[in-house]
Amino acid sequence: MNRSLYKRIGVTVLAASSATILSIAPAAAITDIKISGSGGTMTFYDDGDVFEVCDTQADGAGVLGRLYYKAIGGDWYVTDYEEDGGDDGCDKMPHDVNGVGDYQMKLYWMGTGYPGLQIAESRVFNE
């Protein structure tokens, strides 16, 4: 085989691989995620990476929202949390969500007799 044939094959392979790489769309951004349970809600707002925890019952008990993180090949652990209850409005916590590992939100009722009772959890997500 001569050199010009090798060049044509190389150019063809390069063009095909470039087209394949450029055609792969970036991962779609996640959307807002909201979980609800009896007593409260927890919402992730993708625009700004803010989590909001809201106590929705005037029962004297607050709610606790926990954000869990799992690195690739690692174990789940609580990376951030926020409580709400006893005041007007909801409480917010900023937390940068990235695409390196997985995240999950869990919401807990903090009432007497069952403090820390899980009332809702989200699907696993990342960016």
Side-chain angles (χ1 to χ4, degrees), residues 63-80:
V63 291
L64 169 68
R66 288 184 178 157
L67 179 62
Y68 289 82
Y69 176 74
K70 179 181 178 185
I72 297 170
D75 294 324
W76 287 101
Y77 67 92
V78 177
T79 186
D80 217 339

Side-chain angles (χ1 to χ4, degrees), residues 28-35 44 46 51 67-68 76 102-106 120-127:
I30 59 175
T31 57
D32 297 346
I33 301 170
K34 182 175 184 173
I35 57 175
F44 168 65
D46 185 38
F51 292 83
L67 179 62
Y68 289 82
W76 287 101
D102 290 326
Y103 294 86
Q104 186 175 32
M105 299 184 304
K106 294 186 180 183
E121 71 179 37
S122 73
R123 63 178 173 80
V124 174
F125 63 95
N126 64 23
E127 286 191 329

Side-chain angles (χ1 to χ4, degrees), residues 38 55 57-63 83 108-117 119:
S38 62
D55 181 6
Q57 282 189 324
D59 60 2
V63 291
E83 285 187 65
Y108 301 86
W109 182 69
M110 302 304 291
T112 305
Y114 298 98
L117 176 67
I119 57 175

Side-chain angles (χ1 to χ4, degrees), residues 41-54:
T41 63
M42 183 173 182
T43 307
F44 168 65
Y45 296 103
D46 185 38
D47 184 15
D49 286 358
V50 174
F51 292 83
E52 181 180 65
V53 178
C54 301

Side-chain angles (χ1 to χ4, degrees), residues 10-24:
V11 168
T12 303
V13 169
L14 181 62
S17 62
S18 296
T20 301
I21 290 170
L22 293 175
S23 70
I24 298 172

Side-chain angles (χ1 to χ4, degrees), residues 3-18:
R3 289 186 128 179
S4 71
L5 182 58
Y6 284 123
K7 283 183 181 178
R8 279 187 261 159
I9 291 171
V11 168
T12 303
V13 169
L14 181 62
S17 62
S18 296

